[in-house]
Amino acid sequence: MPVAIDRTTPIPLVPAPSILEESARRFADRPALDFLGRKTSYGELARLVDRAARGFQQLGVKKGTRVGLCLPNCPYYVISYFAVLKAGGIVVNFNPLYVERELKHQIEDSGTRIMVTLDIRQIYPKVAAMLEAANCLERIVVCSMSGSLTAVKSVMFNVFKRSEVVAIPDDLHHVRFERLLASQGEVRPVEIVPEQDVAVLQYTGGTTGVPKGAMLTHANITANTAQLCRWVPEISLGQERMLLVLPLFHVFAMTVGMNFGLAVGAELFLLPRFELEQVLKTITRKRPTLFPGVPTIYTALNGAAEQGAWDLSSIKVCISGGAPLPVEVRARFEQLTGCHLVEGYGLTESAPVATCNPLGGAVKAGSVGIPMPGTSIEVRSPLDPAIRMEQGEKGEICIRGPQVMAGYWNRPEDTAAVMFDGALRTGDIGYIDEDGYIFLVDRIKDVIISGGYNIYPRVIEEALYQHPDVAEVVVIGVADPYRGQAPKAFVRLKDGHAATPEQLKDFLSGYLSRIEMPKQIELRAELPKTMVGKLSKKELQAEEAAQAAPVPAHTA
Ligand code: AMP
């Protein structure tokens, strides 16, 4: 293990607002945010947070009040996040692309009373509809896209394309963000018990059932931030620049982007959505040194950078997470940029980072690295978690550490199902090698059972990624009359490449056993992705299930 990582000093468990307060003290004049050219210094950011926190308290926010943030990446998100926490409230993260049904479920499940959102046609109307539809929602705090915190330039309309600013009613249910900032007086101090008090409700589990709110405490958030700071000891405090295009309402960008970036005094370039050319332009012009991402982002940049004259050489460190990072994608990106791209692993329920490959030490191909400081990974039997597996044996990965959530909001049974003796059962199968490196095999629920054998889709995906024509792959289990289930691969080829399914199958025969060989390989121009850009199986599984379902008989 690399010596540079401090694994002995206890991780401080402190209230989450201290992340920004600490940096505002040390780097007051340094830029904290750059949104489309509008810069906000650390000092100014901390003052805006204080004023907004007072405003929230005057709106009735006290300890435990749930305040929703339904915002794309922009300064309003960062200010509101820390202001709600400072006022004693709980941040509930909402995806601005949610449809009304999803918004309603999450507002009601969490008991969100106030929602902060943006005055654009794509977002505001559906949030406004919730004042009627969801009983608990009392007020909307409206941030203006043409307000002083954003770049009042035509560039904003380029970013939001067809979206336009909409008129906001002047009534008791609406409060302008500017009015929040104009509140007089001091922030009333709120006593926070970091290990108990919930800071963020982060919804998860949408792929398998009703989304549940993971309760991330103040300590979970500050612990994971501190753990990441230890992971990169060679970072220059107050000097780094980070490109943040992953959405802040997702746990990965919240911690690995915003909280870690602010903790090291970096300047955060916030981009509200992933557009390849804009990302490449921003990297070339603004020269970020840190660039957290998910594998699909690095894949897209690899493809584009090979074709255009973009300068990506400023990037020094990237942490990839959320999904497997194909070995060749990592190698190519490092070659193009000269950076260190390391893969980490975690879940919403672990705030999220549990393991990562070391920056200064050996990176093992295909491994998600070693545990964060203060964290231990246990491999337990998926059938009986009381049984510990031996080193090298496969089992369910369980995480024990200060970043593991307090449980699911109002769902004690779901909580009990994922916690074992204080450790989080992840639902991921993996093993630990002789050097303590963790390897993931697959998710328990994605394992394909074919003729009594366990097939791990990831093994097939990794094999297909070895083919030079393949850009992206998803493998799922489909119904098979003889074997119960069989693997099927969906492949997107690289632009200008033309391998046929038969050629891909021939290629695979050198890598896979007969039972692992996909029953079918289907080429697609696009593969479905989640909001954060993870390749998604859900839509493909639904399509296959619909095709396999018997056609209902017509009734006369
Ligand atoms: P979420 O809570 O939505 O962020 O999803 C967490 C899940 O993403 C984990 O349980 C893993 O199955 C998967 N995941 C996260 N990081 C990785 C990684 N580096 N490699 C493979 N799967 C990952």
Side-chain angles (χ1 to χ4, degrees), residues 204 250 322-324 343-348 368 428 440 443 458 534:
T204 179
H250 187 270
E343 179 174 5
Y345 158 73
L347 294 80
T348 302
V368 292
D428 292 310
L440 295 185
R443 291 194 198 207
R458 193 168 162 191
K534 288 199 212 186

Side-chain angles (χ1 to χ4, degrees), residues 364-387:
K364 289 206 184 191
S367 166
V368 292
I370 53 179
M372 288 275 112
T375 305
S376 56
I377 298 292
E378 299 159 4
V379 183
R380 294 178 175 271
S381 160
L383 301 175
D384 178 0
I387 301 171

Side-chain angles (χ1 to χ4, degrees), residues 6-64:
D6 174 3
R7 290 184 168 276
T8 46
T9 319
I11 303 285
L13 306 177
V14 290
S18 64
I19 295 172
L20 176 62
E21 286 163 0
E22 189 68 21
S23 286
R25 264 193 295 277
R26 299 174 70 182
F27 314 113
D29 299 328
R30 289 266 314 142
L33 308 177
D34 176 317
F35 182 65
L36 310 173
R38 164 68 163 94
K39 286 189 192 282
T40 310
S41 70
Y42 272 90
E44 191 186 352
L45 181 59
R47 282 191 294 279
L48 288 165
V49 165
D50 276 355
R51 282 159 53 191
R54 255 185 339 247
F56 278 121
Q57 287 184 332
Q58 283 167 12
L59 285 184
V61 173
K62 21 186 199 293
K63 192 158 169 178

Side-chain angles (χ1 to χ4, degrees), residues 397-538:
I397 303 279
C398 299
I399 305 169
R400 190 181 295 281
Q403 71 274 55
V404 170
M405 68 164 183
Y408 295 114
W409 179 252
N410 284 343
R411 291 177 195 271
E413 278 150 31
D414 289 321
T415 304
V418 296
M419 300 303 298
F420 179 79
D421 184 26
L424 173 74
R425 299 177 64 181
T426 63
D428 292 310
I429 306 250
Y431 62 93
I432 305 183
D433 79 358
E434 62 285 1
D435 299 319
Y437 279 69
I438 291 125
F439 288 78
L440 295 185
V441 182
D442 226 313
R443 291 194 198 207
I444 293 175
K445 64 177 186 297
D446 289 341
V447 172
I448 301 168
I449 302 175
S450 190
Y453 288 94
N454 283 357
I455 300 179
Y456 300 108
R458 193 168 162 191
V459 172
I460 306 169
E461 289 166 356
E462 283 288 340
L464 275 162
Y465 274 116
Q466 307 290 320
H467 191 286
D469 287 8
V470 169
E472 285 174 338
V473 188
V474 173
V475 172
I476 61 168
V478 295
D480 181 274
Y482 304 107
R483 301 197 221 141
Q485 273 194 309
K488 172 169 178 180
F490 294 85
V491 173
R492 181 174 75 78
L493 295 178
K494 289 181 185 160
D495 289 346
H497 292 253
T500 63
E502 290 64 39
Q503 287 167 338
L504 294 176
K505 274 193 180 178
D506 283 349
F507 173 84
L508 285 180
S509 60
Y511 290 86
L512 301 176
S513 67
R514 239 162 47 88
I515 187 97
E516 287 168 329
M517 184 60 77
K519 165 177 157 161
Q520 206 190 340
I521 297 183
E522 187 177 321
L523 301 180
R524 294 256 175 134
E526 280 301 325
L527 292 177
K529 300 201 174 88
T530 67
M531 252 312 292
V532 266
K534 288 199 212 186
L535 286 164
S536 172
K537 302 194 175 198
K538 192 173 67 167

